Amino acid sequence: MKKVITLLFLVSFGFIHAQKAFTGKGDMRVNVGANLQDGGSGIQGSIDFGLGENFSFGFVSSYLLGVDNYNGFYHGGPTYYTDHKPEFQDRFDAKARINANLSSVIGVEQLDVYPGLSLGLRNFGGHIGGRYFFTDGFGVFTELGFPIAKYSNENDVFDHLNNQVTFSLGASFNLN
């Protein structure tokens, strides 16, 4: 029972003292967290720079640490792969992105919901995310990313790794 009361206290304290998630021009927000997807998991880092009341641009990169090795014939091809491992370029992805920051639109200053578009090394895609700041400098984030147009015709065994829906969650920091 003590643990439940302590948890409720910490959660309520965090919500009572929450800070603005996005203030507009001059904002600098950094997200660092886990990247979860089919066939692997890894880390993701992003930085967003506020350009206006509801607009920001930034960069995001991810690196897959745990990736399933491939066994079998790929797309019915003649080559049989045995315990085929992805290389660095198969695991890494980087993107430039723009966001519509909606905290002032939805009327909750501590929560920044941000849909956006990204242009990366592997695809043109979209994302929707959210950040909640407990203090002036620290919060949490979650993000769902998805490809809209892929650059490859998936001839490589590991093309799917950076061309699928991804889910990320972690810590968010205010660098202002």
Side-chain angles (χ1 to χ4, degrees):
M1 186 66 175
K2 281 183 175 181
K3 291 179 183 179
V4 172
I5 291 171
T6 303
L7 179 64
L8 288 175
F9 173 76
L10 290 174
V11 169
S12 64
F13 182 80
F15 282 108
I16 291 168
H17 295 287
Q19 301 294 314
K20 277 187 150 184
F22 186 79
T23 57
K25 187 174 183 176
D27 265 4
M28 193 180 327
R29 304 290 191 249
V30 172
N31 297 330
V32 178
N35 178 35
L36 309 169
Q37 63 186 54
D38 183 36
S41 61
I43 55 174
Q44 174 183 309
S46 65
I47 186 164
D48 293 312
F49 304 96
L51 293 177
E53 182 182 356
N54 298 97
F55 185 71
S56 65
F57 80 98
F59 305 95
V60 62
S61 65
S62 61
Y63 186 77
L64 297 172
L65 299 170
V67 180
D68 298 336
N69 292 349
Y70 186 78
N71 292 301
F73 292 99
Y74 185 72
H75 283 287
T79 306
Y80 183 80
Y81 295 95
T82 305
D83 206 28
H84 190 60
K85 297 178 183 181
E87 296 181 16
F88 175 83
Q89 64 267 20
D90 299 319
R91 296 172 181 253
F92 178 77
D93 196 17
K95 300 175 183 180
R97 67 190 200 165
I98 57 172
N99 302 319
N101 301 87
L102 304 178
S103 61
S104 65
V105 175
I106 61 175
V108 181
E109 291 180 343
Q110 301 85 359
L111 176 65
D112 180 23
V113 176
Y114 55 94
L117 297 172
S118 57
L119 183 63
L121 299 173
R122 312 274 180 174
N123 60 45
F124 169 72
H127 58 274
I128 184 162
R131 285 185 272 251
Y132 186 88
F133 275 83
F134 297 106
T135 67
D136 189 35
F138 176 75
V140 293
F141 87 98
T142 185
E143 193 169 300
L144 188 70
F146 51 91
I148 295 173
K150 301 174 185 178
Y151 298 156
S152 75
N153 55 7
E154 296 196 22
N155 286 334
D156 186 50
V157 174
F158 296 109
D159 277 344
H160 70 285
L161 290 178
N162 292 296
N163 280 307
Q164 62 177 296
V165 174
T166 62
F167 175 74
S168 302
L169 69 148
S172 190
F173 303 96
N174 176 5
L175 297 185
N176 292 342

